[in-house]
Amino acid sequence: MRTVRDLLCLVFGVLLLALAGAATANAQGVIVPGPCRRCPVPPRPIPLPRALPVKSVKIETKIAGQVATTHVEQVFRNDTDQTLEGTYFFPIPETASVSEFAIWDGDRRLVGEVRGREEARRIYDEIVRRQRDPGLLEYAGRDLFQASIYPIPPRSDKKLELTYTQVLRAEAGTVSYRYPLGTGRNVAEIVGTVSGRVEIEGREPVRNIYSPSHEVAVARRDERNSRVSFESKAGQEPRDFQLFYTLSDKDFGLTLLTHREPAKHGYFLLTISPKDEVSEAEYAAKDIVFVLDTSGSMAEAGKMEKARAALLFGVRSLKDGDRFNVINFAGEEHLMASNMIWADAAGRARGEEFVKALRPVGGTNINDSLIAAMRQFLDGGERPRMLVFMTDGLPTVGVTNIQKIVENARAARAPGTRLFTFGVGYDVNTALLDKLAAENGGVAEYVEPKEDIEVKVSSFFNKINHPVLTNLRLDTGGVETDLVYPRELPDLFRGSQVTIIGRYRNGYDARNVTLRLTGRTGQRERTFAYENLSFPLTEGANEFLPRLWATRRVGWLMEQVRTNGEQKELTDEIVDLGTRYGIVTPYTSYLALEEGMQVTDNMTVTAPPTTRSIADLPLNNR
């Protein structure tokens, strides 16, 4: 017979998987409540909500040079008559870096620092043995963090704060920012107000600020600085807050941010978006294979219709000189044609007829469908090769090991093939689709069942149909750089940009530097030059850059661990970067102690005799 603790662990595990699956949707932070294990057992069980209702959400964001720092304050409400413990889950955007986590006890604010996970565990265990309550925020999976909240008194509020930094993307000169409030699984009910303020600071004029989701007030201080604010009243259905603004033509070409303390490494962030000077006639005719998941799970929540609409858009956007094929898969794959066909009017009509007849049934055999699609490109030739892979979930038939699927796709890939992944729904294995795209020269995109698909799909296929530069190379003009990410530059498509972050270490004040970005469009090599750039010896602005660089570095190291197994030099560097820059990883944890509590070199914990911390954040395996 299961104990209450077992049931709680089961509930937490189910929700953790749900949130992890919805990580691309960046689900709203939630507290999952449970009975207090340190309190007297109540005479009768008290029914608990699935998640504590959210009394209020306050968002403060500053965007500088496409780098957004978001501070969110959430107030949760315990409407029961029982003291509760709760597990707090908060997914953050991909590649974002958490810089602070705080818990409030009345008017007391508890914050902490990142330590090695084993060290944090020893300190935590010692404090718990003294029946005191430390705080420990932990990595709970890709882009997901968890903490335990204790105590949550009856009929009371609990306030939490979290701050994170992310680099925003620009598409066709438009920068987008999003904070999740309503789109997704809606695990926690928002019963109170939601307010937000976004400060936009541009290096060049900022134009056309608008929000499709909320009524916003825009106050322009000058052409480069604006403030956007909004407020949603209680009772309104929560919706994700979305904000867009356009950059000037000059700013859309290149943005360079640097930071360097005296006698230390410098850090730089480059966003490059070459102006598109290619005519439609110059884009090379391509070979493209569309692969659509038609497993039974695609019948849920309208996912099949979303994917079908996206695929039909892709087929209809082909040009007469293109060649294509369509493969659908469930337990096994089915080809529209044995080989590629021409995308003339007859060919496109055949493709539409095939797509419209597809029905969802069976399991999900991702491995075999990928290999079958890769074989379509084995006939050689110089035409661009593109594979668009559309799915909603996890592999369930055939090879199901993620690493093995990635390795098999790599082995089957014909030279020059670009793999683009398109995930539909909340249960998508984003780690698999991201890795498949990244290792095969493509990009990953995702669409939610409730999301308007038209804009997302048109943008996705506009990229595929219009590659501005492939096989990119960056010449830094003599500036000494190292540990630059991404390690391999992705292809650059019309209206998109590439973001590069790294360190520089030149021993002189590098002024008037010219960077050159070179790549190919069709059969033609092109070079874009960016002049009068500076990599200074000292630069006090943009102090967030070292943390962003460290986050990218940790991500790369974690990928090496997942691929090659744990090695001491890798884990040691992850711990060093995590503790130095305050990054929570599988090897580091965020330890919050009450004011006045100290840890000595021999791990002895000292604390004021009469005060008590309020944040008990147990480890995953406690």
Side-chain angles (χ1 to χ4, degrees):
M1 184 175 180
R2 284 176 170 164
T3 64
V4 172
R5 179 184 176 87
D6 293 332
L7 292 174
L8 284 174
C9 291
L10 177 62
V11 171
F12 292 163
V14 170
L15 183 66
L16 176 60
L17 290 173
L19 287 174
T24 55
N26 300 326
Q28 167 76 353
V30 300
I31 294 179
V32 181
C36 174
R37 290 171 290 173
R38 305 163 196 233
C39 306
V41 178
R44 64 181 61 86
I46 297 177
L48 299 176
R50 183 184 180 191
L52 292 187
V54 182
K55 185 176 179 180
S56 66
V57 179
K58 184 178 180 181
I59 308 161
E60 297 278 347
T61 301
K62 183 173 183 179
I63 303 174
Q66 287 185 232
V67 177
T69 299
T70 298
H71 175 84
V72 55
E73 175 189 290
Q74 293 176 276
V75 179
F76 296 87
R77 179 71 184 174
N78 177 11
D79 287 323
T80 74
D81 294 319
Q82 182 179 355
T83 297
L84 301 176
E85 295 186 50
T87 300
Y88 177 67
F89 295 103
F90 194 96
I92 64 170
E94 183 183 2
T95 72
S97 170
V98 175
S99 57
E100 187 178 74
F101 177 68
I103 305 173
W104 284 80
D105 177 22
D107 59 356
R108 289 196 303 156
R109 186 174 186 266
L110 299 185
V111 295
E113 62 182 14
V114 172
R115 295 173 178 260
R117 182 167 181 164
E118 293 182 0
E119 177 189 7
R121 182 189 294 268
R122 288 195 298 268
I123 298 171
Y124 172 85
D125 289 342
E126 181 177 343
I127 298 172
V128 169
R129 282 196 298 270
R130 298 183 179 198
Q131 295 184 340
R132 309 182 69 88
D133 297 309
L136 195 62
L137 175 70
E138 288 206 302
Y139 177 89
R142 183 177 177 271
D143 305 327
L144 181 66
F145 296 88
Q146 77 172 46
S148 286
I149 312 301
Y150 169 82
I152 309 174
R155 303 294 173 183
S156 69
D157 297 336
K158 180 62 64 179
K159 182 165 72 174
L160 308 177
E161 295 181 50
L162 189 136
T163 303
Y164 60 88
T165 302
Q166 66 188 116
V167 180
L168 304 179
R169 293 194 306 174
E171 300 286 348
T174 299
V175 179
S176 62
Y177 171 81
R178 174 181 178 181
Y179 183 84
L181 289 165
T183 302
R185 297 178 180 273
N186 292 325
V187 174
E189 178 188 7
I190 300 179
V191 298
T193 60
V194 177
S195 62
R197 183 174 67 182
V198 181
E199 301 275 353
I200 303 174
E201 179 183 300
R203 297 169 64 88
E204 296 291 336
V206 175
R207 304 168 181 166
N208 303 326
I209 301 171
Y210 71 99
S211 171
S213 59
H214 291 70
E215 292 185 9
V216 297
V218 179
R220 296 183 179 273
R221 300 178 183 175
D222 53 51
E223 65 177 6
R224 300 185 181 184
N225 295 272
S226 298
R227 174 183 294 175
V228 180
S229 58
F230 74 94
E231 181 171 334
S232 299
K233 300 297 183 181
Q236 297 180 352
E237 181 180 356
R239 302 174 60 192
D240 287 5
F241 174 67
Q242 294 178 282
L243 184 70
F244 298 89
Y245 62 90
T246 57
L247 303 169
S248 69
D249 291 342
K250 180 179 179 181
D251 195 36
F252 190 51
L254 176 140
T255 298
L256 171 65
L257 304 177
T258 60
H259 176 81
R260 189 171 189 178
E261 297 180 25
K264 294 186 178 181
H265 279 100
Y267 299 86
F268 69 91
L269 174 69
L270 273 172
T271 55
I272 304 177
S273 307
K275 296 180 180 65
D276 184 19
E277 301 168 349
V278 183
S279 67
E280 286 290 331
E282 290 182 272
Y283 287 109
K286 61 185 176 295
D287 290 343
I288 184 167
V289 175
F290 301 99
V291 183
L292 177 63
D293 180 355
T294 54
S295 61
S297 61
M298 287 289 287
E300 303 168 1
K303 290 182 287 189
M304 184 65 190
E305 295 314 310
K306 293 281 186 184
R308 192 197 311 276
L311 184 48
L312 287 172
F313 186 100
V315 170
R316 291 164 180 162
S317 65
L318 295 173
K319 301 178 178 62
D320 287 349
D322 297 334
R323 296 189 304 176
F324 80 106
N325 203 347
V326 180
I327 299 174
N328 75 291
F329 73 95
E332 58 185 27
E333 69 278 0
H334 302 276
L335 282 67
M336 177 189 70
S338 57
N339 295 296
M340 294 192 197
I341 65 173
W342 291 103
D344 52 18
R348 293 194 297 270
R350 180 179 175 183
E352 287 190 40
E353 182 181 3
F354 182 83
V355 172
K356 290 177 180 178
L358 296 176
R359 297 293 180 265
V361 62
T364 306
N365 193 332
I366 289 178
N367 183 79
D368 290 357
S369 61
L370 276 174
I371 293 175
M374 291 292 189
R375 289 173 180 157
Q376 293 284 303
F377 300 106
L378 295 180
D379 61 350
E382 298 296 325
R383 298 160 63 93
R385 302 164 175 176
M386 300 179 182
L387 194 164
V388 178
F389 189 83
M390 311 174 75
T391 183
D392 77 323
L394 305 171
T396 60
V397 177
V399 178
T400 58
N401 180 274
I402 292 176
Q403 187 58 39
K404 187 64 176 176
I405 292 174
V406 172
E407 292 173 358
N408 291 343
R410 185 189 304 124
R413 179 191 179 197
T417 302
R418 265 65 176 174
L419 172 57
F420 301 85
T421 55
F422 194 91
V424 183
Y426 299 129
D427 300 318
V428 179
N429 189 324
T430 55
L432 172 60
L433 297 191
D434 286 349
K435 190 170 179 62
L436 284 171
E439 289 203 1
N440 295 280
V443 294
E445 190 62 86
Y446 301 93
V447 62
E448 300 165 15
K450 295 182 181 179
E451 192 172 7
D452 184 354
I453 197 172
E454 183 176 352
V455 173
K456 185 74 65 79
V457 169
S458 62
S459 175
F460 179 72
F461 283 107
N462 188 51
K463 292 178 186 178
I464 293 175
N465 289 328
H466 302 95
V468 175
L469 287 177
T470 61
N471 303 322
L472 269 62
R473 304 187 305 277
L474 180 66
D475 180 354
T476 56
V479 176
E480 297 179 41
T481 64
D482 71 345
L483 301 181
V484 177
Y485 301 96
R487 302 297 288 173
E488 295 184 12
L489 296 183
D491 291 345
L492 193 56
F493 300 90
R494 185 169 73 182
S496 66
Q497 66 180 187
V498 60
T499 299
I500 304 168
I501 189 166
R503 301 192 307 187
Y504 69 95
R505 59 175 186 268
N506 50 289
Y508 58 93
D509 215 20
R511 306 282 180 177
N512 300 317
V513 174
T514 298
L515 299 184
R516 288 181 171 83
L517 184 69
T518 301
R520 299 187 67 83
T521 299
Q523 305 303 313
R524 181 165 66 99
E525 185 167 275
R526 306 173 67 200
T527 298
F528 295 84
Y530 304 92
E531 302 175 340
N532 300 319
L533 302 176
S534 296
F535 291 79
L537 277 174
T538 59
E539 174 58 73
N542 309 312
E543 63 279 358
F544 50 78
L545 284 181
R547 177 187 292 274
L548 280 180
W549 170 83
T551 301
R552 298 292 176 90
R553 174 67 178 168
V554 165
W556 184 84
L557 291 169
M558 284 301 306
E559 189 60 41
Q560 305 311 301
V561 170
R562 285 189 287 268
T563 302
N564 305 312
E566 287 192 354
Q567 301 175 29
K568 188 176 186 302
E569 60 269 26
L570 296 177
T571 57
D572 284 352
E573 185 175 357
I574 292 171
V575 171
D576 176 64
L577 290 170
T579 53
R580 197 189 330 164
Y581 293 100
I583 303 170
V584 178
T585 74
Y587 304 98
T588 56
S589 299
Y590 193 105
L591 182 66
L593 304 176
E594 66 181 281
E595 186 177 357
M597 185 176 289
Q598 296 180 339
V599 182
T600 63
D601 292 338
N602 64 359
M603 307 304 294
T604 300
V605 181
T606 61
T610 58
T611 58
R612 179 176 171 86
S613 170
I614 53 87
D616 168 29
L617 311 182
L619 300 171
N620 290 340
N621 63 350
R622 182 177 172 186

